[in-house]
Amino acid sequence: MTASASPPAETIAVIGLGYVGLPLAVALARHFDVLGFDIDQVRVDELRQGEDRTREIEPDALRVSSLRLSADPADLPGKTVYIVTVPTPVDDKNAPDLGPVRAASRTVGHALRQAPMPQAVVVYESTVYPGVTEDICGPILEQESGLACGRDFFLGYSPERINPGDKVHTVDKITKVVAGQTPDIAARLERIYGKITSGGIHLAPTIKTAEAAKVIENAQRDINIAFVNEIAMIFGKLGISTYDVLEAAGTKWNFLKFQPGLVGGHCIGVDPYYLAHRAEELGHHARIILSGRAINDGMSAYIGEAISARIRPSSNILVLGLTFKEDVPDLRNSKVADLIGSLRRLGHKVSVHDPLADPHEAQHEYGVMLSPRLDQLADFDAVIAAVPHQQYRAINRAELARLVRDGGMVADLKGIWRGQKIPAGRQYWTL
């Protein structure tokens, strides 16, 4: 009896080398022949030098990786698996912007046309609403390749779960949700992703199920944060510290521990709009989802007005932090930028410091000039701890006394200085 032939070795291309694609490509390259592709030649050149501006992958890990890098679409044909990890933003009306996903699909479709591989699979990791992979991306791939979806090539979906700056829940440790167009394709993707993670694989029954699972993960967090932001507004009117209330309530075993603040970034501040958009197409108005988004999107203006009401007109304010979350350089959809705009519209002069943000990107994206040295700044009417970077958490009482003039205000949005004594003569405010 002849033994059955082993399946051919997979050759993989990861399309998009940002926060999601690069860690995935590096992990896959430990087990497969992997090409990392990005349309940004500068990004590719940096990675070749071992420099990852996202700080997700250490330089040594990049240098020893077998991952090949390219910005040339001519290197894409001939792969057995294509994994798309491009961004899925919203436009200025908060409608889904599928431009990057469509463009990536055209690029992959062209590669499939040039060198069709039997049973090639195109997997999407980008966060989308249910139906995008099969109803939008599939037809684009067919049009560009001249091949039939479900016969000549197949679709898959495996939602990304990258949490920027998180060194614990990395792609090689988390549970990976996987779905395929057919049971055989799902099993194949289970084998591929199973090679890179110790967290196990969850096989979703359909691609739409996997798409829906991803989009509600972030919508759920958004709604919970919106609730805490709303109670922060209520408790502010009562003169109660929200953090004190949460600390007390958190002693109950099943209390969900969320904190108030600005909700930006490329996931929680964006993904709920994808689900709401699809709901509207189906004739359902997503009231809870959109109410949560309205509360969270309005927090920058609320905080700006609350601070402005407590300081003198035309104050000189220092904002600490511009990135969308602590200890990462990611500036995408930063709501701190909205807070800065609110304060300026209220007549205040605002300086900004962030040790991790790229000064050129800050200027390009938000028109914000970053102050280069915190130790050279002093005597502001108000200092706002907007992003709890480690450097700011380490600021002591003497440094606060230097930064904030006598009679000035310390606005501590995330409660990072609640445990220390604020310098005499300065008022302290938090959510």
Side-chain angles (χ1 to χ4, degrees):
M1 182 175 181
T2 304
S4 60
S6 59
E10 302 284 7
T11 56
I12 301 172
V14 176
I15 316 299
L17 297 175
Y19 281 86
V20 174
L22 181 62
L24 175 66
V26 170
L28 286 166
R30 299 188 187 111
H31 306 277
F32 304 99
D33 178 357
V34 180
L35 173 72
F37 174 83
D38 200 287
I39 60 173
D40 184 350
Q41 183 67 59
V42 174
R43 171 70 168 158
V44 170
D45 291 342
E46 289 175 352
L47 294 175
R48 284 174 175 162
Q49 297 300 315
E51 178 186 345
D52 173 25
R53 71 179 78 147
T54 69
R55 305 191 183 191
E56 292 297 313
I57 302 296
E58 296 297 327
D60 288 345
L62 268 179
R63 294 189 185 100
V64 302
S65 175
S66 64
L67 175 67
R68 293 175 294 112
L69 299 161
S70 177
D72 186 354
D75 292 328
L76 288 172
K79 304 297 183 288
T80 63
V81 178
Y82 295 87
I83 304 178
V84 176
T85 64
V86 298
T88 45
V90 293
D91 62 20
D92 56 2
K93 295 181 180 178
N94 291 322
D97 177 5
L98 294 175
V101 169
R102 292 176 186 272
S105 299
R106 288 192 291 269
T107 298
V108 172
H110 188 65
L112 290 172
R113 176 184 289 274
Q114 289 182 297
M117 296 295 290
Q119 304 287 300
V121 185
V122 185
V123 186
Y124 290 83
E125 291 215 4
S126 304
T127 303
V128 293
Y129 54 80
V132 168
T133 299
E134 295 163 295
D135 301 339
I136 295 178
C137 298
I140 293 174
L141 291 166
E142 285 188 318
Q143 181 179 0
E144 293 296 326
S145 67
L147 304 174
C149 183
R151 184 192 71 193
D152 302 318
F153 70 89
F154 296 85
L155 299 173
Y157 189 79
S158 182
E160 60 90 2
R161 281 175 167 169
I162 292 293
N163 182 25
D166 188 338
K167 302 304 182 184
V168 176
H169 303 97
T170 51
V171 71
D172 57 339
K173 297 182 180 69
I174 60 171
T175 300
K176 207 75 170 72
V177 174
V178 170
Q181 192 171 2
T182 69
D184 286 345
I185 294 300
R188 185 172 157 195
L189 294 178
E190 181 181 22
R191 289 193 297 271
I192 292 172
Y193 281 105
K195 286 280 190 180
I196 68 170
T197 181
S198 61
I201 303 296
H202 176 88
L203 274 180
T206 67
I207 287 175
K208 286 185 175 69
T209 299
E211 291 170 322
K214 170 56 184 177
V215 79
I216 71 164
E217 289 174 15
N218 288 329
Q220 183 188 68
R221 286 186 58 79
D222 193 47
I223 291 166
N224 279 286
I225 296 170
F227 168 71
V228 178
N229 276 336
E230 185 164 53
I231 65 171
M233 297 177 191
I234 296 169
F235 296 155
K237 294 179 182 296
L238 293 170
I240 303 172
S241 165
T242 304
Y243 289 100
D244 289 345
V245 175
L246 293 174
E247 195 173 81
T251 61
K252 189 171 189 286
W253 61 91
N254 60 353
F255 185 79
L256 302 179
K257 296 184 179 182
F258 290 88
Q259 292 186 342
L262 302 172
V263 183
H266 64 293
C267 288
I268 299 178
V270 172
D271 296 350
Y273 286 122
Y274 274 71
L275 184 55
H277 171 84
R278 184 63 179 135
E280 295 288 346
E281 288 183 334
L282 297 170
H284 178 83
H285 181 63
R287 289 175 293 174
I288 292 177
I289 294 169
L290 290 175
S291 292
R293 279 282 75 233
I295 290 170
N296 288 340
D297 275 350
M299 280 301 287
S300 297
Y302 167 77
I303 292 170
E305 290 165 4
I307 291 172
S308 184
R310 290 166 170 82
I311 58 179
R312 65 189 184 187
S314 303
S315 282
N316 193 16
I317 299 173
L318 173 63
V319 172
L320 298 178
L322 181 61
T323 61
F324 91 89
K325 67 175 287 188
E326 65 272 18
D327 300 326
V328 299
D330 195 346
L331 286 171
R332 288 176 295 175
N333 193 30
S334 170
K335 295 305 178 183
V336 181
D338 293 344
L339 171 60
I340 293 166
S342 175
L343 292 167
R344 286 175 173 166
R345 285 190 295 273
L346 290 166
H348 303 291
K349 179 182 178 182
V350 182
S351 300
V352 185
H353 177 270
D354 193 303
L356 300 182
D358 181 273
H360 300 292
E361 186 180 357
Q363 174 65 35
H364 179 265
E365 293 297 323
Y366 302 114
V368 171
M369 293 283 292
L370 294 178
S371 300
R373 295 277 300 273
L374 187 61
D375 58 1
Q376 294 178 349
L377 301 174
D379 296 323
F380 288 89
D381 296 306
V383 168
I384 304 173
V387 184
H389 290 317
Q390 177 58 43
Q391 180 178 348
Y392 303 147
R393 295 195 293 271
I395 288 176
N396 58 35
R397 187 165 179 252
E399 291 173 294
L400 276 179
R402 186 194 80 242
L403 291 170
V404 187
R405 66 168 183 82
D406 188 16
M409 177 184 186
V410 175
D412 184 5
L413 302 191
K414 301 300 290 186
I416 61 175
W417 299 320
R418 290 175 65 227
Q420 68 171 279
K421 189 175 181 181
I422 301 301
R426 282 79 172 173
Q427 63 168 314
Y428 177 82
W429 179 83
T430 189
L431 289 168

